Amino acid sequence: MKVGALKIGDTQARNNLFLAPIAGFTDYSFRKLILPLGVGLCFTELVSAKGLYYGGKNSETLLYCGEDYENTAAQIFGSDPYYMRWACESKYLEKFRIIDVNMGCPVPKIVKNGEGSALLNDIKKAESVIKEMVKSGKNITVKIRTGIKRGDDIAREFSQMAEYCGAKLITIHGRVREAYYSGEPDYDAIARAKKAVSIPVIANGGIFTKEDADLMAERTGADGVMIARGAIADPFIFSKISGENPPIKTLKEFALAHFDEEIARIGEKRAAVEFRKFVTYYFKGAKNSKQNRMAIMTTEDVDEIKRLLSETL
Ligand SMILES: Cc1cc2nc3c(=O)[nH]c(=O)nc-3n(C[C@H](O)[C@H](O)[C@H](O)COP(=O)(O)O)c2cc1C
């Protein structure tokens, strides 16, 4: 696929390869390390607009970007236009130039409040949310799925609505809610949406290799791609797609630096626990990793974890 800078409203992503928002994974430590490896733009984990309104400390932590707000968009969720605009104009999002609204989350806790992918069922509500957010003057982007049930295709209509409301970019996860994260992406639905709008369209879903990215770009005609699980499994996927020479060369180097970053940010005890979920990804494909993975899952000794990482990767 063709890799290059992408204009998003009055700002620009340095390239069109985006790291997806992934709750529980794309925290500041991970984003900081992966950004120099060829990522054009990354996103915070989803943050509740109401949570920010009521002063949730956790939401603030999720939005932390150190010194680098340039290359990160904040992702918020909610269905009340008032809170959504308030969040965009709040001090919490002051440093972000791009604010993304989550309209794809399938998690029942969120859907039952009419938020996340529930908005795909209520285009009028989605429209008023986007319109109010746009009034904040920020570059508003929207992340959707292709529908709720198999056979749905709301991507085209939703993309047109989002553009009409003033959104500056739309990301389409080419799966319906009921498919969660599995199955082949619906390339055609993304392609139809892309043809119907003039704002950039980013295609997402099932990209684990450079070949998958090329196929996605070719089949959809999208302006760029967004990668979620494929980036945790292989943080070098962006540089593999763009052909850039990454400053970190090996997964061992990346994993050790990532763990150090976690320790510096949240302390040894929490880092040891939080890091376990990444190890499952990092060790996939590593030879004889089972025993060392089990050992990491049951220890809080950071030196031992580093030793096991070095030995396995
Ligand atoms: C554990 C997990 C957490 C996720 N968290 C978010 C989130 O916070 N916001 C969001 O828009 N999408 C979230 N997603 C969806 C991803 O951004 C992405 O759309 C989806 O995983 C499909 O991309 P992939 O096939 O490359 O993984 C999450 C996905 C997973 C697996």
Side-chain angles (χ1 to χ4, degrees):
M1 63 175 283
K2 200 164 168 265
V3 178
L6 186 69
K7 202 170 166 337
I8 305 170
D10 66 8
T11 182
Q12 182 165 295
R14 56 191 180 190
N15 72 41
N16 51 351
L17 307 177
F18 293 2
L19 172 70
I22 317 172
F25 287 89
T26 52
D27 57 21
Y28 176 60
S29 308
F30 186 76
R31 295 195 313 265
K32 182 180 173 185
L33 275 167
I34 200 168
L35 257 169
L37 304 188
V39 175
L41 183 71
C42 60
F43 293 75
T44 68
E45 303 167 62
L46 81 176
V47 171
S48 161
K50 265 193 189 164
L52 288 173
Y53 187 86
Y54 291 107
K57 224 37 250 106
N58 187 39
S59 307
E60 252 185 275
T61 311
L62 293 174
L63 291 169
Y64 181 69
C65 288
E67 298 301 314
D68 189 0
Y69 286 80
E70 281 280 295
N71 303 302
T72 307
Q75 190 190 60
I76 61 172
F77 72 94
S79 62
D80 185 321
Y82 172 80
Y83 290 107
M84 296 298 274
R85 178 172 172 186
W86 180 90
C88 293
E89 292 173 345
S90 73
K91 63 174 182 186
Y92 303 109
L93 302 186
E94 199 179 354
K95 294 183 184 157
F96 292 95
R97 296 177 306 167
I98 302 172
I99 300 173
D100 189 65
V101 49
N102 180 311
M103 296 194 177
C105 182
V107 173
K109 195 173 78 179
I110 287 179
V111 171
K112 80 172 182 336
N113 289 333
E115 301 169 331
S117 62
L119 287 161
L120 300 177
N121 252 344
D122 191 345
I123 195 164
K124 282 281 158 228
K125 174 70 76 63
E127 188 175 324
S128 50
V129 165
I130 299 169
K131 271 189 181 155
E132 263 322 279
M133 289 175 73
V134 165
K135 287 181 192 161
S136 69
K138 296 275 185 179
N139 295 298
I140 303 301
T141 63
V142 185
K143 183 165 180 275
I144 62 167
R145 286 177 175 252
T146 49
I148 305 284
K149 299 181 307 304
R150 286 176 218 283
D152 284 357
D153 176 11
I154 53 89
R156 182 172 176 272
E157 188 188 3
F158 245 76
S159 302
Q160 286 177 316
M161 176 276 287
E163 178 172 47
Y164 166 77
C165 293
K168 300 296 189 286
L169 173 144
I170 184 138
T171 302
I172 305 172
H173 176 190
R175 296 187 179 104
V176 293
R177 177 167 87 204
E178 133 183 315
Y180 273 76
Y181 304 106
S182 60
E184 191 177 71
D186 186 342
Y187 301 108
D188 296 341
I190 301 175
R192 281 191 289 273
K194 163 64 196 160
K195 278 208 186 101
V197 295
S198 50
I199 53 174
V201 170
I202 301 295
N204 165 241
I207 300 174
F208 292 91
T209 62
K210 172 177 164 41
E211 290 69 32
D212 294 336
D214 289 339
L215 181 70
M216 178 65 100
E218 187 193 315
R219 294 276 306 265
T220 64
D223 301 279
V225 296
M226 175 185 275
I227 304 173
R229 292 161 300 169
I232 305 170
D234 179 9
F236 301 98
I237 188 165
F238 300 96
S239 49
K240 285 177 184 166
I241 296 170
S242 66
E244 268 175 41
N245 191 11
I248 295 178
K249 305 286 180 221
T250 63
L251 188 57
K252 180 195 282 194
E253 224 186 307
F254 184 87
L256 286 167
H258 181 197
F259 189 45
D260 276 338
E261 197 58 50
E262 286 280 76
I263 294 170
R265 195 174 61 92
I266 56 177
E268 291 193 353
K269 213 174 156 65
R270 268 187 64 206
V273 176
E274 291 283 318
F275 202 67
R276 290 175 188 163
K277 57 187 176 235
F278 287 97
V279 170
T280 306
Y281 279 91
Y282 294 159
F283 278 14
K284 248 184 209 157
K287 278 197 196 117
N288 307 321
S289 61
K290 200 171 165 196
Q291 210 175 346
N292 285 358
R293 191 171 67 82
M294 288 313 291
I296 290 180
M297 296 301 154
T298 49
T299 182
E300 288 177 8
D301 178 338
V302 294
D303 292 328
E304 177 63 358
I305 295 171
K306 286 182 196 179
R307 192 189 67 74
L308 291 162
L309 287 173
S310 295
E311 189 180 281
T312 314
L313 293 171

